[in-house]
Amino acid sequence: MVILVAGMAGLGYYDIQVASEGFDSYRRQARINVATSDMTVNLTQSVSKTYDYLSSSNPDLITDAQKDIDEFNRIADTAHGETHVDYRKETCTNLKKQILPMREAETTIRDNIEEMVKQYDGVVRPAYDSMSNQFRELADMGRDVDNITLLHT
């Protein structure tokens, strides 16, 4: 009887270990799935904020976009550490490699737009203001001689 009870206890202990390992594997996979979802969100937010930056030139947007990519990389590292499957580890590594040019491009975009704004503020706007004043002076001269048609000849 003691042998039967010991055998059943051993079998029960073995089954609990198998179930525990299965549950650990399930939890690990769930964490990887959540990480994948979070990485997708960070990628989408980064692209959206970069696009918004192009139309607004708000430097906070490009900074936030870069923070999203940094978070993407942190999450990819976590997912890489969670998985025990080689092809999943390789996928995490590839994703990190593919997002690096995006991070660099966001910096380039910011620098280029800042340069364009400097050109606009330093060249285009002053030239426009100067020419606008000159046109106003011409109009004033025509009005002063009481003959606006002089401007059209």
Side-chain angles (χ1 to χ4, degrees), residues 12-65:
Y13 178 77
Y14 173 77
D15 287 343
I16 288 174
Q17 291 293 62
V18 169
S20 178
E21 289 172 9
F23 185 70
D24 287 344
S25 176
Y26 170 77
R27 273 195 318 191
R28 188 179 313 105
Q29 184 60 45
R31 285 192 299 265
I32 292 169
N33 289 344
V34 168
T36 301
S37 175
D38 290 346
M39 287 171 24
T40 302
V41 167
N42 285 109
L43 176 64
T44 303
Q45 285 178 335
S46 179
V47 170
S48 176
K49 288 173 184 173
T50 301
Y51 182 80
D52 291 344
Y53 174 75
L54 291 174
S55 63
S56 73
S57 299
N58 179 349
D60 293 338
L61 289 170
I62 204 73
T63 301
D64 288 345

Side-chain angles (χ1 to χ4, degrees), residues 20-151:
S20 178
E21 289 172 9
F23 185 70
D24 287 344
S25 176
Y26 170 77
R27 273 195 318 191
R28 188 179 313 105
Q29 184 60 45
R31 285 192 299 265
I32 292 169
N33 289 344
V34 168
T36 301
S37 175
D38 290 346
M39 287 171 24
T40 302
V41 167
N42 285 109
L43 176 64
T44 303
Q45 285 178 335
S46 179
V47 170
S48 176
K49 288 173 184 173
T50 301
Y51 182 80
D52 291 344
Y53 174 75
L54 291 174
S55 63
S56 73
S57 299
N58 179 349
D60 293 338
L61 289 170
I62 204 73
T63 301
D64 288 345
Q66 291 174 329
K67 287 178 183 175
D68 287 330
I69 287 182
D70 294 341
E71 181 68 9
F72 177 99
N73 283 326
R74 188 192 66 71
I75 294 169
D77 286 338
T78 300
H80 185 275
E82 285 289 334
T83 188
H84 295 239
V85 181
D86 289 339
Y87 76 88
R88 289 184 188 147
K89 285 184 178 286
E90 185 178 333
T91 299
C92 290
T93 302
N94 288 338
L95 287 169
K96 285 185 66 172
K97 286 179 185 175
Q98 290 174 8
I99 204 162
L100 283 177
M102 261 184 69
R103 178 80 160 74
E104 294 167 2
E106 288 172 345
T107 301
T108 302
I109 289 168
R110 183 196 63 225
D111 294 345
N112 288 342
I113 288 182
E114 286 175 356
E115 182 59 32
M116 288 171 26
V117 168
K118 284 179 190 174
Q119 290 293 318
Y120 179 81
D121 290 345
V123 177
V124 175
R125 188 63 197 196
Y128 170 79
D129 290 343
S130 173
M131 288 185 282
S132 179
N133 287 334
Q134 290 175 21
F135 284 127
R136 192 175 312 115
E137 289 171 7
L138 280 174
D140 289 345
M141 282 190 275
R143 190 181 57 244
D144 288 345
V145 295
D146 205 23
N147 191 352
I148 199 73
T149 58
L150 290 175
L151 294 175

